[in-house]
């Protein structure tokens, strides 16, 4: 069996080797996996970052920003919570969408708690019910808690009405349904949410050392930071066509302590390449500047970022291209 380590992803609970887990724990210690589900832009990644206490998942205004499960660790004296940030469950339009949905459903079937996120300022609609029904179909025995997000964007009356509506929807299948309001942006009710999640986890060991934050590898985190910078300001369908791959990371031959990061932004059509470049290359320059700052913060050292744009025709629907990009 595989055991969790700094160099590999945490395997599902059913594959864990308990003998190789980390450290003694007090009596009653709880540990387990939680994943947040909801429509695009309901604050799932922002909530994940806030709970972990560090940016591990990128955020953007566009839907379907998250493209692979990201595991972040929440450490408390009486619990260790593995937060699994996943792509949003959605009606797929491409082969990429189908593959992402498969990953999401597999993740939901293996976690201990699922948090259904509903923004405080948006009424519950058919899309929310569709997601809840799909989650229940793949994880019928998993506890679902309701989370009203973005308190900072709604009045107290709106929040109260949303809490009642969400409780009513969950109570159709769970008479003991729990709902909680939070604001990841302002840090409101986050510890209360941690407590609710902890109460629904089984007693168990630590899966990771106390200083572990995420199991995402460095190259993947760098590629996501570049993609986040590239998505800023994009509209319509173009964000879905953007993918990033880190080609290589090497010590700079002429500047001691500097790393050369070589990466590629992929788009699907030549016209999209022109949009990413911007007039006289100014947009690409902004992307490089923003991403470089974030990568320096991640690595803790100076870098030179070499960023190129390539057209990979219809990569979202091409099996070979998807495999090349890790999907």
């Amino acid at each position: 069996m595989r055991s969790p380590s700094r160099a590999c992803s945490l395997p599902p609970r059913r594959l864990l080797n308990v003998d190789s887990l980390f450290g003694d724990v007090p009596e009653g210690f709880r540990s387990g996996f939680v994943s947040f589900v909801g429509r695009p832009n309901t604050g799932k990644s922002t909530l994940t970052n806030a709970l972990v206490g560090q940016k591990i998942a990128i955020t953007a205004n566009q839907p379907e920003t998250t493209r692979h499960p990201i595991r972040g660790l929440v450490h408390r004296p009486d619990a260790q919570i593995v937060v699994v940030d996943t792509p949003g469950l959605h009606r797929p339009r491409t082969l990429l969408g189908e593959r992402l949905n498969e990953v999401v459903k597999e993740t939901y079937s293996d976690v201990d708690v699922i948090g259904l996120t509903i923004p405080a300022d948006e009424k519950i609609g058919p899309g929310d019910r569709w997601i809840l029904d799909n989650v229940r179909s793949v994880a019928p025995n998993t506890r679902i808690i309701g989370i009203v997000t973005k308190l900072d964007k709604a009045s107290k009356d709106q929040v109260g009405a949303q809490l009642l509506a969400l409780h009513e929807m969950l109570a159709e299948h769970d008479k003991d349904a729990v709902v909680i309001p939070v604001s990841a942006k302002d840090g409101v009710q986050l510890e209360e949410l941690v407590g609710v999640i902890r109460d629904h986890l089984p007693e168990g060991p630590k899966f990771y050392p106390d200083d572990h934050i995420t199991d995402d590898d460095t190259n993947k985190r760098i590629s996501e930071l570049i993609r986040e910078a590239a998505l800023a300001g994009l509209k319509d369908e173009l964000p879905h066509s953007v993918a990033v791959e880190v080609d290589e990371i090497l010590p700079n031959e002429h500047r001691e302590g500097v790393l050369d990061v070589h990466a590629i932004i992929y788009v699907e059509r030549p016209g999209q390449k022109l949009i990413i470049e911007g007039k006289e290359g100014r947009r690409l320059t902004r992307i490089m500047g923003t991403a470089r700052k974030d990568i320096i913060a991640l690595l803790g050292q100076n870098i030179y970022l070499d960023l190129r744009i390539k057209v990979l025709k219809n990569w979202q629907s091409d099996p070979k291209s998807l495999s090349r990009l890790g999907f």
Side-chain angles (χ1 to χ4, degrees):
M1 295 186 187
R2 278 192 305 162
S3 61
S5 72
R6 297 175 185 273
C8 67
S9 297
L10 182 65
R13 176 186 298 282
R14 61 181 177 272
L15 297 181
L16 286 171
N17 181 354
V18 176
D19 293 333
S20 64
L21 299 182
F22 297 93
D24 296 328
V25 296
E27 184 177 352
F29 191 88
R30 294 176 181 267
S31 60
F33 300 76
V34 60
S35 191
F36 301 127
V37 61
R39 287 181 285 108
N41 294 335
T42 56
K44 300 182 292 294
S45 295
T46 302
L47 183 56
T48 296
N49 291 337
L51 290 176
V52 173
Q54 186 180 120
K55 181 176 179 177
I56 62 168
I58 69 170
T59 58
N61 292 326
Q62 297 87 358
E64 299 169 36
T65 298
T66 303
R67 282 190 180 153
H68 71 283
I70 302 168
R71 295 179 179 89
L73 276 293
V74 180
H75 301 280
R76 294 295 184 272
D78 58 354
Q80 186 179 83
I81 302 171
V82 185
V83 183
V84 188
D85 186 39
T86 67
L89 195 61
H90 62 289
R91 293 181 174 89
R93 298 168 296 174
T94 62
L95 180 58
L96 171 63
E98 293 175 9
R99 291 189 176 182
L100 293 183
N101 268 359
E102 290 172 4
V103 170
V104 171
K105 290 179 179 179
E106 181 179 351
T107 300
Y108 292 160
S109 67
D110 206 49
V111 299
D112 300 288
V113 177
I114 293 173
L116 176 62
T117 58
I118 305 287
D121 61 338
E122 298 177 21
K123 289 186 176 181
I124 294 174
D128 300 301
R129 291 185 175 274
W130 180 85
I131 289 173
L132 181 57
D133 290 342
N134 273 269
V135 170
R136 284 194 171 121
S137 70
V138 298
N141 300 317
T142 302
R143 187 61 191 271
I144 300 175
I145 62 174
I147 306 172
V148 174
T149 60
K150 303 185 180 182
L151 298 187
D152 49 288
K153 291 190 174 183
S155 68
K156 290 183 178 180
D157 288 342
Q158 282 180 298
V159 173
Q162 196 73 307
L163 288 169
L164 289 173
L166 180 53
H167 185 273
E168 182 179 343
M169 183 170 71
L170 293 177
E172 293 174 4
H173 295 272
D174 179 8
K175 62 182 180 62
D176 298 318
V178 176
V179 297
I180 181 170
V182 302
S183 171
K185 178 182 177 182
D186 295 337
V188 177
Q189 292 266 108
L190 293 183
E191 280 305 312
E192 286 78 2
L193 176 59
V194 169
V196 169
I197 294 170
R198 179 204 172 279
D199 290 345
H200 289 92
L201 296 180
E203 291 189 10
K206 291 182 180 179
F207 299 134
Y208 277 110
D210 289 336
D211 62 349
H212 205 87
I213 298 298
T214 180
D215 67 357
D216 229 6
D217 65 65
T218 300
N219 280 22
K220 178 61 69 175
R221 295 185 74 182
I222 289 174
S223 69
E224 287 291 88
L225 290 173
I226 295 170
R227 187 163 68 93
E228 182 180 48
L231 293 181
L234 293 182
K235 299 179 180 179
D236 301 322
E237 295 300 312
L238 182 51
H240 304 297
S241 299
V242 175
V244 177
E245 180 183 41
V246 173
D247 192 17
E248 59 182 358
I249 302 175
L250 300 169
N252 188 287
E253 294 182 358
H254 307 291
R255 300 165 64 193
E256 186 176 351
V258 176
L259 289 178
D260 290 343
V261 177
H262 301 274
I264 303 168
I265 296 178
Y266 291 104
V267 293
E268 294 186 298
R269 297 186 295 276
Q272 295 172 342
K273 179 180 178 181
L274 294 176
I275 293 174
I276 295 291
E277 289 174 341
K279 187 176 181 180
E280 298 179 352
R282 287 197 291 266
R283 192 171 192 284
L284 179 59
T285 299
R286 288 197 300 270
I287 292 171
M288 293 174 65
T290 300
R292 180 175 174 271
K293 290 179 182 178
D294 290 338
I295 296 169
I296 289 174
L298 172 65
L299 299 180
Q301 70 178 99
N302 195 9
I303 71 153
Y304 166 75
L305 179 59
D306 171 43
L307 194 55
R308 292 165 289 156
I309 307 173
K310 290 187 177 181
V311 176
L312 192 59
K313 187 177 179 180
N314 297 326
W315 67 263
Q316 292 185 84
S317 297
D318 178 56
K320 289 184 178 180
S321 296
L322 288 173
S323 295
R324 172 179 173 177
L325 295 172
F327 297 107

